[in-house]
Amino acid sequence: MSMIKGETGDWEIVLGLEVHAQVISDAKLFSGAPTAFGAAPNTQVSLVDAAMPGMLPVINKRCVEQAVRTGLGLNARINLRSVFDRKNYFYADLPAGYQISQYKDPIVGEGEVEIDLPDGQTRSIGIERLHLEQDAGKSLHDQHPTQTYVDLNRSGVALMEIVSKPDMRSADEAAAYLTKLRSIVRYLGTCDGNMDEGSMRCDVNVSVRKPGGELGTRCEIKNVNSIRFVRQAIEFEARRQVEIIEGGGRIVQETRLFDPGRGETRSMRSKEDAHDYRYFPDPDLLPLTLTQEYVDGIKAGLPELPDAKKARFGKDYGLSPYDAGVLVAERETAAFFESVARGRDAKQAANWVTGDFFAMLKRRGVGIEDSPVSADHLGKLLDLIGDGTISGRIAKDLFLAMEETGKDPASLVEERGLKQVTDSGAIEAAIKAVIDANPGQVAAYRAKPTLFGWFVGQVMKSTGGKANPKAVNELLKKALES
Ligand code: MN
């Protein structure tokens, strides 16, 4: 928990998050129009999405299944009966004049998410609900000097609005919650979690109070589109509220916008209450009813989720909670690690994956799917170290060569002559050459045995790093003491 220090003492931050997650589905929630990102404006719009008179919405089964999957992944109650309502408001990019959403009877009820904090602790954050709703279109203000254009491609795309309980107490916790939520929906394949493409957007409810006191009035910061901005927005907003209250003012409930350029939030509009939207059940849609067998069938098909995988990595591979957490954050990373670790030293595999391998991906700016080094090749590299074909030091160079060429490590060892020298005759010759060339250092060594490492370095250097380090140590000791 992180408190804000004010003039009147400590203040506690209270945070609840509403996340809009775009459902992975080829078609929209109530029409057959496609949903691909980045298509030319107004090329993915059906008559339903354009709200032509007389058009009727038809629920997309795939989107319902995705919402149920997500609910199950959030350990939440699935409501076998839910209702679609009209939420009425006017936006230029909302041709129907209402959004089809769910109000009193959402498809998913209460659940919980376990978050992993930077200090290694975990905490449980309550989920209030998840409901299905349509996205609106998009107004384009930068295409013409005096006119606004409307792109309806997004109109009708299925969203899951995931509402947390006001359980978070710091920007760190909010960031950890979003990270975990994104990881879960990606594992489930229900949302791609790409915040920069807008497929996951976050509204943050912020209030402050004296520790343990009554909840304060909250402000909602709309549509924050990166975890970094969520942190900045929370820190700015909480401080702003403390300053107002301590200055004798009061917080007005309102909707605010975060300005990433200035790092501050500013007022957008006074907050509407639910009754302002005149919600009522959509007469074009029957209540949605599911059977328990249907839900159980989806549950049976869920993949192993991050928390379960993390626990298993700790148990089966003996990994620390930290290493396990890093490796399970993305499903692809976990699969890559497991294929490297299978039948090998798991700790060594984890070190290579989180060390040299991650550093390489970062340096190249690519994801694991575009890695020039495959799991199979990295595994073979570990085998070459294990059977003494190469030294640990040469392994680092070999890894770089694998990155550059994409080749199999065994053939690179052949091609470049990287095999470890274990032949004691060759090592002894190298040692003799170093000793003969440095009589002064030999004399110094007799007075100061810590110079031993310098000799090891010289021998390794003269053999191009290929000498077996253990053999060098033994033979060198013998030679220097004779
Ligand atoms: Mn919403």
Side-chain angles (χ1 to χ4, degrees), residues 106-264:
I107 187 166
V108 175
E110 291 183 318
E112 62 178 9
V113 170
E114 191 92 344
I115 60 168
D116 307 284
L117 296 169
D119 63 1
Q121 306 271 26
T122 60
R123 264 200 77 202
S124 174
I125 303 299
I127 298 292
E128 178 69 34
R129 59 188 277 153
L130 175 158
H131 65 253
L132 275 170
E133 64 183 25
Q134 309 170 294
D135 206 349
K138 193 177 177 188
S139 296
L140 307 171
H141 306 291
D142 55 359
Q143 307 287 305
H144 188 279
T146 58
Q147 295 176 13
T148 287
Y149 290 175
V150 172
D151 174 10
L152 292 180
N153 280 353
R154 243 170 47 189
S155 168
V157 164
L159 303 175
M160 297 178 283
E161 181 172 330
I162 303 166
V163 182
S164 84
K165 292 184 185 282
D167 285 354
M168 285 158 271
R169 295 290 177 269
S170 67
D172 272 349
E173 291 188 0
Y177 170 80
L178 279 173
T179 303
K180 190 50 154 303
L181 199 59
R182 187 171 59 182
S183 172
I184 291 171
V185 293
R186 283 179 171 167
Y187 265 70
L188 292 167
T190 56
C191 169
D192 66 28
N194 293 335
M195 293 186 85
D196 51 354
E197 289 179 0
S199 35
M200 220 173 112
R201 317 194 280 271
C202 182
D203 302 341
V204 191
N205 284 292
V206 184
S207 65
V208 296
R209 66 175 176 188
K210 286 292 185 173
E214 294 274 297
L215 282 178
T217 303
R218 66 192 162 93
C219 290
E220 181 183 26
I221 310 160
K222 272 283 179 202
N223 276 335
V224 192
N225 63 2
S226 83
I227 293 179
R228 188 162 60 93
F229 293 160
V230 166
R231 280 176 179 284
Q232 290 176 11
I234 290 169
E235 263 146 29
F236 176 87
E237 178 62 18
R239 193 153 288 287
R240 183 188 75 88
Q241 293 184 11
V242 167
E243 278 164 20
I244 288 175
I245 300 169
E246 292 193 331
R250 54 182 267 280
I251 305 301
V252 186
Q253 183 176 339
E254 63 181 356
T255 300
R256 301 179 67 84
L257 270 186
F258 177 67
D259 178 343
R262 310 174 79 108
E264 58 187 41

Side-chain angles (χ1 to χ4, degrees), residues 276-420:
D276 295 325
Y277 292 113
R278 299 287 187 272
Y279 278 102
F280 65 89
D282 191 312
D284 290 337
L285 290 157
L286 287 168
L288 178 65
T289 55
L290 311 173
T291 64
Q292 190 58 48
E293 295 72 60
Y294 169 80
V295 174
D296 292 344
I298 294 174
K299 190 169 193 175
L302 289 188
E304 182 183 37
L305 291 172
D307 290 339
K309 207 183 274 289
K310 183 179 169 189
R312 182 168 64 78
F313 278 17
K315 191 166 139 282
D316 291 1
Y317 299 117
L319 300 184
S320 68
Y322 178 81
D323 280 350
V326 169
L327 289 169
V328 304
E330 303 278 346
R331 197 176 177 173
E332 296 74 18
T333 309
F336 186 95
F337 162 74
E338 286 210 271
S339 101
V340 176
R342 197 163 298 130
R344 303 193 175 93
D345 177 345
K347 185 66 200 160
Q348 188 189 26
N351 287 342
W352 272 89
V353 173
T354 59
D356 294 69
F357 181 75
F358 278 4
M360 180 271 290
L361 294 181
K362 195 168 175 199
R363 190 169 60 237
R364 300 181 78 88
V366 297
I368 207 160
E369 64 286 353
D370 297 315
S371 165
V373 177
S374 67
D376 180 47
H377 284 177
L378 182 54
K380 285 180 175 156
L381 171 82
L382 299 191
D383 293 341
L384 293 172
I385 303 171
D387 67 16
T389 306
I390 55 168
S391 67
R393 176 169 151 345
I394 288 291
K396 302 262 177 195
D397 298 341
L398 179 57
F399 182 80
L400 292 178
M402 287 158 65
E403 174 194 344
E404 273 158 33
T405 63
K407 282 188 186 167
D408 177 89
S411 54
L412 281 167
V413 166
E414 281 305 320
E415 214 171 90
R416 305 196 177 186
L418 298 174
K419 249 196 193 113
Q420 180 161 250

